[in-house]
Amino acid sequence: MPKNEIQNLALRRALFFPSAEIYAEKIAGFFDFGPIGARIRRKIIEVWRKKLVEKENFHEIHGAQILPEKVFIASGHLANFNDPVIQCKKCHSIFRADQLIQETIKIVVPESISTNELDALIKKHKINCLKCNSNDFTETKQFNMMLALDIGATGKQKAFLRPETCQNIFLNFKRIYALEQKLPLGIAQAGSSFRNEIAPRNTLLRERELGQMEIEIFFNPKKINEIEENKWNEVKDYKLRMLLLKEGLTEKSCDELVKKKIVSGKLIAYYLARLQQLYEAFGIPVEKMRFRELEEEARAFYAKETFDFEVETDLGFIELVACNYRTDHDLKGHSKESSVDLSVIEDKEKFIPHVFELSAGIDRTFYVVLDNSFRKEKRGSEERIYLNLPITLSPFDAAVFPLVKKDGLKEKALEVFEFLSSYGFSLIFEENASIGRRYARIDEIGVKYAITIDYDTLKDETITLRERNSMQQKRIKIKELPEFLWLLLNEKKDF
Ligand SMILES: [Zn+2]
């Protein structure tokens, strides 16, 4: 859906909005999620946890957000996590040099380009300031994107807000490996990361505090082709949508990816498949997805092999997940800087495990899920808006409405609400406004099922169950409702 439709819906229903918005001094790039937005966001993490983390026996941790300086010397972020910045000398506007070039002359500027090369491009193409049209810029400087903090009363303990959640995972590797002493070992974490973006924009797509759900899979590089046979059989013929440097857009089965050496091994193909399946579970059609292979210059500084998982929206393709083969870069760096040996012994051989990473953006996924599920329909003269969320992302299992408040219907509806709550269903109760208006309100936030208590309920203990997309209604006995609803919610039955 168009960007302004997302923003209208987000603000109208308080799904997400600028943090500290009542102050003129609010800082760009920070967002709060309201009650419904927070629920949908939590469900996205919950589906990731169920369908990927728990299914693959990964270990999920919760790490601190602030880490000491040494961690980022080791990780390379202090030296390399930079954006090239220039300033207009006349109006003092600040720009990301690569973006300014990219937007003005529509070329792709590789991530690894030097500041001198950027300055040369700006001169050569006579690029002007976007604000005041001057071409008098400072030289390009590297600007480190980490947010620094001074900890403690002395202020001498230098620390940073983590720029990616995976650093906790590398730091905790030794302790978690010790629990089972077995590779491959997957460690996962969902949480906030912080980046001092020069130009935050497009709301949730470029934030300064961003949600990440990351998985790091540690493995023996000699066994990159060893994956349990039953697992491999589940994916080997499953097709991935790939945008390859040599071939362009193509569909390849996991088996082909390995045989044609498009990926370094079965382990990588396997997890790419699981990722695409996760986004299918988020309701994204496969035709809108692609794994974009990155050339060396475009990859992050730690990556040997990268596929950016992207989904097509009205804003073009949006990168949602970076799939990076990080080799032994991280554990090696932390081993050296901390003087703690992070190698393992397997088959009598000592080595530092390699890492394959699935680094997904929570808020970007949230945005794309909204974009993908938004529906506007004409019904006669009426216009109807609903979110076609998969049931697993619906903010509530069902809504409960009394047709009217009087004649004991409200009391009966509360009784049904209590009855279903006792089975663990999450419900929303609404009694105000006409029933049509209430249906419209829950359609708009993607609640899939509504239970209405009417005059017949008082006579025969049945309710009306309504489905969001089709607006079809069924009469169900109250006592049969828990099982019926459970089957629907677990996708074991169609409405
Ligand atoms: Zn200017």
Side-chain angles (χ1 to χ4, degrees), residues 314-327:
D314 275 7
L315 297 175
F317 276 94
I318 293 175
E319 181 205 333
L320 298 183
V321 189
C323 311
N324 289 311
Y325 182 8
R326 297 176 75 124
T327 68

Side-chain angles (χ1 to χ4, degrees), residues 80 102-103 150 254 281 317 337 351-352 415 441:
N80 299 313
Q102 226 150 286
E103 277 161 28
D150 298 311
C254 288
F317 276 94
E337 200 62 37
F351 64 95
I352 291 189
E415 198 186 300
R441 283 178 61 83

Side-chain angles (χ1 to χ4, degrees), residues 88-93 95 129-134 136-137:
C88 167
K89 283 186 182 165
K90 204 172 146 203
C91 76
H92 308 292
S93 293
F95 301 97
C129 170
L130 294 178
K131 271 244 174 78
C132 74
N133 228 15
S134 154
D136 195 9
F137 289 110

Side-chain angles (χ1 to χ4, degrees), residues 39-53:
R39 273 183 171 267
I40 297 173
R41 191 179 184 277
R42 215 158 54 222
K43 293 248 172 152
I44 287 173
I45 301 170
E46 197 49 43
V47 170
W48 165 81
R49 182 172 288 133
K50 279 221 173 83
K51 299 220 184 246
L52 202 53
V53 178

